[in-house]
Amino acid sequence: MIAAQLVPTPVGPLSLLSREGVLVAAGFTADPTEMFARLTPALQAEGLEVVDDLGAAASAVRAYLAGDLDALDAIPVSQPGTPTRKRLHQTLREVKPGTTVSYAELAERAGLPRTAARAAGSACAQNLIAPFVPCHRVLPSGGGYGGYYYGVPVKEWLIAHESGGITNVE
């Protein structure tokens, strides 16, 4: 069974979908079925149940919103894709809060040529686990914010939150 929870954020509800403690989808929508519909048929076959508390994933979102910008990094994630797409998604998780990269830089960090910027853009567009896989940290090299599946205002807010946020230091 896929468990879902809605967590309120300043830019609207964040739907979290988890399977056995691993996040399989997350997105800025008030309807978890929108995220559920993007899952593989095998995961959809398990069904969807909205719960009151997903535990660690929901706690991580609340901590992130409160200023612990690294909180999302501790949550395990899993999404389908080719080995290249999975490498790009993993590389996205290595882009630190408060920083941004271009699509070409993301490709290069993932061990691909800079000319693979289009593959990096595709990996961002197909990302099912925002903001845990932080595709919002990728900007076009020509300037501006580019696109974002949940709307440019959400992307702008996430970047501003991370740029002005305070990371807990131990």
Side-chain angles (χ1 to χ4, degrees):
M1 181 67 67
I2 306 299
Q5 179 184 351
L6 287 175
V7 178
T9 79
V11 287
L14 178 62
S15 289
L16 305 177
L17 280 69
S18 180
R19 179 179 183 271
E20 300 175 359
V22 176
L23 215 55
V24 294
F28 292 92
T29 175
D31 183 1
T33 62
E34 288 181 24
M35 298 306 304
F36 185 73
R38 295 179 69 196
L39 296 177
T40 63
L43 287 178
Q44 288 180 18
E46 294 185 21
L48 178 68
E49 177 185 8
V50 177
V51 299
D52 291 333
D53 188 11
L54 280 180
S59 293
V61 171
R62 288 189 287 274
Y64 170 82
L65 294 172
D68 180 357
L69 302 178
D70 295 318
L72 304 180
D73 298 343
I75 303 303
V77 300
S78 177
Q79 60 184 318
T82 64
T84 297
R85 178 161 293 158
K86 287 180 182 233
R87 190 165 70 237
L88 284 160
H89 285 158
Q90 179 55 45
T91 303
L92 272 170
R93 291 198 91 187
E94 296 165 5
V95 177
K96 295 296 178 200
T99 66
T100 59
V101 297
S102 70
Y103 293 100
E105 289 170 318
L106 177 63
E108 191 173 57
R109 288 182 181 196
L112 302 169
R114 289 182 67 83
T115 55
R118 193 170 292 225
S122 177
C124 289
Q126 297 301 315
N127 176 26
L128 295 177
I129 313 176
F132 293 80
V133 177
C135 53
H136 63 275
R137 296 178 189 153
V138 184
L139 302 175
S141 58
Y145 286 95
Y148 189 62
Y149 189 88
Y150 303 103
V152 172
V154 174
K155 184 174 188 171
E156 290 174 329
W157 185 89
L158 290 166
I159 291 171
H161 171 65
E162 293 178 356
S163 296
I166 298 170
T167 303
N168 289 344
V169 178
E170 295 180 354

